[in-house]
Amino acid sequence: MKKLIIDCDNTFGVFGCDLDDGLAIIYAAGTGCCELLGITTTFGNNTLEVVHPNTIEFMKRIGLADIPVYKGHETDPTKNEAARFLATAVATYPEEISVLSIGSLTNMYHASVLDANFFEQVGDLSLMGGVTEPLIICGKQLDELNFSCNSEASYEVLTKGKSIKIATGNNCLAALFTTERFGQLQTSDVPFLRWLHESGIYWFKRENEVFGNDGIYKWDVYAAAALLFPEMFDENIVEISPTPESMKTGMLLGGGTPKKVSLPQVKDSNAFMEHVYESYTAFSKRHSRI
């Protein structure tokens, strides 16, 4: 079973903020194919002062209060308990731990500052962020989602990390999770699924109001699935070339030193969507107290 740490900026349930980190946590735990060692919190969707307590409360709410949650730090590696946990865990299980990093990459960078061997010892890295071309939704351009939050950290992780998968904003557009399918949860006989609909429908409504989209892109779930179920994706090995300057906008093709990474492309978006909903049902059986 894969050992997993999720590094996230979870704002599930916070008004005006995306819910995809929370959905990724539920998804990963629901699959039953990984041992979730801990959650580390970073900034991105909101500040750490919002993200960290929200994540602690979220984990309690969904029945995972036994999973430790470690707070990151914006600037100082020596004050970053999340980075310390990452570095210690990876040193304890060299090359056995996968990290799903779906917010700012600050904690990952700080872990490498605390332990120079961090990137050599960590196993697979699955990241959500970056663009290879403008990110357009229904004719509107969306800013890059994660790497630009801390461009210095992103540059360090992308140039020094190994075995990297990146769920780019562009590739995630291949998997739209429709409002109609999400709406089916409200009539489920499973209390957790009804709660998930009640708690999450706000973001579907927001996406429709802002972009006119009849659904949402579960960016972070895409990154989680690419890590845990790679058979559902074409690996898509690509040479990226980030620079410190290109990372300010999350652009992966910046003219820097070329590096091969995987930019997974989902094979069947409908099958992928149903796979994710199956994991939610499985989660309700394994973990939920709702």
Side-chain angles (χ1 to χ4, degrees):
M1 182 175 289
K2 189 183 293 289
K3 291 180 172 63
L4 179 66
I5 296 172
I6 299 180
D7 183 43
C8 66
D9 56 341
N10 173 45
T11 50
F12 186 107
V14 176
F15 180 76
C17 293
D18 207 337
L19 47 61
D20 55 335
D21 295 77
L23 293 177
I25 292 170
I26 293 169
Y27 166 77
T31 63
C33 69
C34 60
E35 178 187 1
L36 188 53
L37 301 181
I39 304 290
T40 55
T41 58
T42 187
F43 57 93
N45 286 336
N46 212 310
T47 65
L48 268 165
E49 286 63 36
V50 172
V51 169
H52 186 69
N54 185 69
T55 302
I56 292 174
E57 183 58 33
F58 174 77
M59 297 297 282
K60 291 177 181 177
R61 186 72 179 90
I62 64 174
L64 294 181
D66 57 325
I67 304 297
V69 179
Y70 300 90
K71 187 178 182 181
H73 195 279
E74 291 88 342
T75 57
D76 190 344
T78 65
K79 297 178 181 178
N80 190 328
E81 68 173 19
R84 191 174 303 111
F85 167 70
L86 282 161
T88 300
V90 165
T92 303
Y93 301 101
E95 299 187 50
E96 294 183 31
I97 293 179
S98 297
V99 179
L100 174 65
S101 193
I102 47 181
S104 155
L105 299 185
T106 305
N107 293 336
M108 298 283 289
Y109 171 46
H110 284 179
S112 72
V113 173
L114 296 176
D115 184 349
N117 295 318
F118 177 75
F119 286 122
E120 288 302 314
Q121 294 178 324
V122 73
D124 296 328
L125 295 179
S126 186
L127 316 175
M128 193 284 127
V131 292
T132 54
E133 59 186 17
L135 185 57
I136 307 296
I137 299 179
C138 297
K140 296 182 179 180
Q141 184 166 342
L142 182 67
D143 290 340
E144 191 275 331
L145 302 167
N146 285 331
F147 294 172
S148 55
C149 294
N150 185 339
S151 58
E152 178 186 6
S154 297
Y155 179 75
E156 292 293 321
V157 173
L158 291 176
T159 55
K160 294 180 180 177
K162 61 177 185 177
S163 301
I164 297 177
K165 298 176 184 286
I166 306 174
T168 68
N170 307 105
N171 282 7
C172 288
L173 295 183
L176 178 70
F177 284 73
T178 65
T179 305
E180 179 183 9
R181 179 63 182 88
F182 190 71
Q184 294 176 22
L185 300 184
Q186 66 183 318
T187 58
S188 172
D189 58 0
V190 179
F192 173 76
L193 297 181
R194 295 197 302 273
W195 171 84
L196 189 61
H197 179 272
E198 180 183 355
S199 301
I201 193 61
Y202 76 95
W203 197 247
F204 285 80
K205 292 178 179 178
R206 180 264 184 191
E207 288 294 287
N208 183 260
E209 292 170 358
V210 174
F211 294 104
N213 231 0
D214 190 24
I216 67 170
Y217 299 102
K218 298 186 182 181
W219 319 97
D220 296 341
V221 177
Y222 192 106
L227 175 66
L228 300 176
F229 291 88
E231 66 273 14
M232 300 190 72
F233 298 80
D234 291 319
E235 190 172 17
N236 190 32
I237 300 299
V238 172
E239 281 193 346
I240 62 171
S241 53
T243 65
E245 186 64 25
S246 76
M247 283 295 92
K248 292 178 181 179
T249 58
M251 175 54 68
L252 296 172
L253 308 177
T257 302
K259 178 173 183 173
K260 289 185 178 180
V261 300
S262 174
L263 306 185
Q265 294 178 320
V266 69
K267 293 178 180 178
D268 184 328
S269 59
N270 288 328
F272 171 54
M273 181 168 63
E274 290 308 314
H275 161 77
V276 171
Y277 280 107
E278 287 168 7
S279 80
Y280 296 161
T281 301
F283 179 91
S284 70
K285 297 176 182 178
R286 290 191 175 98
H287 304 290
S288 178
R289 301 294 180 268
I290 295 172

